[in-house]
Amino acid sequence: MKKGLVLEGGAMRGLFTAGICDVMMEHDVWPEGIIGVSAGAAFGCNYKSRQPGRAIRYNKRFARDSRYSGMKSLLLSGDYFNAAFAYHTVPARYDRFDDQAFDENPMEFIVVCTDVETGKPVYQPLRKSDSAAYDWIRASASMPLASRVVELEGRRLLDGGVADSIPLAYFESLGYDRNVVILTQPDGYQKEHNKLMPLMRMALRKYPSMIEALDRRHLMYNEQLDFVRQAEREGRCLVIRPETKIPIGHISHDPDQMQAVYEMGRTMGKNRISDIIDFYRLS
């Protein structure tokens, strides 16, 4: 059996996931592979590089820094989170990403993006930490309307959550049959149709397949929730969810709010760490 970790997105709700992942690292829990979507990719990469605490640290440090994110960046560059500063300058200079540890760790790490020309998911393994890897992570986390389309290796890409929000089925197809799944919505949540579809239709009018995927995203997501619940009932996965709605929006510039969400994750991680260890031990 192969031990996997599936990390859905959720923008700044991903700090809840980061808190759980940090507790897992602190308890020497090392799955054989991770698949991350959007914020799950952006924060989950710190698991492979063995850097607990990094995600909350740099998010708080640059929460109100216009070089990192904000309307100024969106207006000047087309990206709310500045592509060059957030995804290249910060990990290279201000809060260094441990490229060597990432490269030397045999753990598989896969990010999910959406190809805007087909509306289909792209599953990209990242075996080496370099500029291209940072851009794949950026593409996975590039939310429609808040980001430009990312052109990378002959593809045009955006947020992986549009095409495959909770990639448990895909990970199982790779042979990962003992998976911990970290969600960022409480049990009983159902996604509704996106109210911003008129704006998205206008912004992405060159990409009809992407518009179709966005229009159906709530249906896809809710079907995936059903799949996860069934896998949970059958004992194929262990699901970690917040007990209540996470009190943060997609975007936040409040370091205290970020810390509170991260602490929610840490508390959940501490409460469930024995379950996680026991679940993996059965593999």
Side-chain angles (χ1 to χ4, degrees), residues 1-3 32 177-178 277-283:
M1 288 188 174
K2 291 175 69 176
K3 297 178 291 187
E32 295 164 84
D177 47 11
R178 202 74 182 161
I277 291 171
D278 290 343
F279 179 78
Y280 277 150
R281 187 176 288 141
L282 294 174
S283 62

Side-chain angles (χ1 to χ4, degrees), residues 49 67 85 109 117 126 191 218 222 224 230 241 250:
S49 67
R67 295 174 299 171
F85 188 83
F109 186 73
E117 294 181 317
L126 299 183
K191 186 177 285 294
H218 64 299
N222 294 334
Q224 289 191 326
Q230 182 62 32
R241 307 173 177 87
H250 280 78

Side-chain angles (χ1 to χ4, degrees), residues 71-144:
M71 289 304 299
K72 180 179 178 181
S73 175
L74 181 63
L75 292 172
L76 293 179
S77 72
D79 293 303
Y80 193 90
F81 289 90
N82 185 277
F85 188 83
Y87 288 96
H88 292 276
T89 302
V90 169
R93 185 184 306 171
Y94 293 111
D95 198 319
R96 292 187 66 86
F97 187 72
D98 195 333
D99 297 310
Q100 182 177 350
F102 185 98
D103 294 351
E104 292 177 352
N105 189 340
M107 178 189 295
E108 187 170 28
F109 186 73
I110 298 174
V111 301
V112 185
C113 304
T114 299
D115 186 318
V116 300
E117 294 181 317
T118 66
K120 302 297 184 183
V122 176
Y123 305 99
Q124 180 67 25
L126 299 183
R127 299 181 178 88
K128 180 177 176 58
S129 180
D130 54 18
S131 180
Y134 296 166
D135 281 332
W136 275 103
I137 293 170
R138 172 168 69 94
S140 181
S142 290
M143 297 179 291

Side-chain angles (χ1 to χ4, degrees), residues 61-254:
R61 177 177 177 181
F62 295 104
R64 296 191 174 102
D65 192 323
S66 62
R67 295 174 299 171
Y68 184 75
S69 66
M71 289 304 299
K72 180 179 178 181
S73 175
L74 181 63
L75 292 172
L76 293 179
S77 72
D79 293 303
Y80 193 90
F81 289 90
N82 185 277
F85 188 83
Y87 288 96
H88 292 276
T89 302
V90 169
R93 185 184 306 171
Y94 293 111
D95 198 319
R96 292 187 66 86
F97 187 72
D98 195 333
D99 297 310
Q100 182 177 350
F102 185 98
D103 294 351
E104 292 177 352
N105 189 340
M107 178 189 295
E108 187 170 28
F109 186 73
I110 298 174
V111 301
V112 185
C113 304
T114 299
D115 186 318
V116 300
E117 294 181 317
T118 66
K120 302 297 184 183
V122 176
Y123 305 99
Q124 180 67 25
L126 299 183
R127 299 181 178 88
K128 180 177 176 58
S129 180
D130 54 18
S131 180
Y134 296 166
D135 281 332
W136 275 103
I137 293 170
R138 172 168 69 94
S140 181
S142 290
M143 297 179 291
L145 299 183
S147 309
R148 294 170 295 166
V149 171
V150 179
E151 297 190 15
L152 189 59
E153 298 184 19
R155 296 181 182 270
R156 292 183 172 90
L157 306 164
L158 279 176
D159 184 355
V162 174
D164 193 348
S165 297
I166 312 170
L168 174 61
Y170 176 78
F171 223 32
E172 288 185 336
S173 76
L174 297 184
Y176 288 92
D177 47 11
R178 202 74 182 161
N179 293 296
V180 172
V181 180
I182 302 180
L183 304 180
T184 57
Q185 295 285 8
D187 195 21
Y189 172 81
Q190 289 281 285
K191 186 177 285 294
E192 298 180 354
H193 189 252
N194 196 320
K195 296 177 181 178
L196 296 178
M197 277 307 303
L199 289 176
M200 291 185 177
R201 290 182 189 280
M202 184 181 302
L204 295 165
R205 58 189 177 277
K206 295 181 181 178
Y207 306 109
S209 294
M210 183 66 171
I211 292 172
E212 182 180 356
L214 284 162
D215 201 31
R216 295 192 72 260
R217 183 182 182 184
H218 64 299
L219 302 176
M220 176 273 296
Y221 184 86
N222 294 334
E223 289 171 0
Q224 289 191 326
L225 286 178
D226 290 340
F227 181 87
V228 169
R229 290 190 191 99
Q230 182 62 32
E232 185 179 22
R233 285 192 293 268
E234 294 175 359
R236 304 199 322 263
C237 71
L238 175 69
V239 182
I240 312 294
R241 307 173 177 87
E243 294 179 344
T244 59
K245 182 178 179 180
I246 296 175
I248 198 168
H250 280 78
I251 293 168
S252 175
H253 297 281
D254 184 342

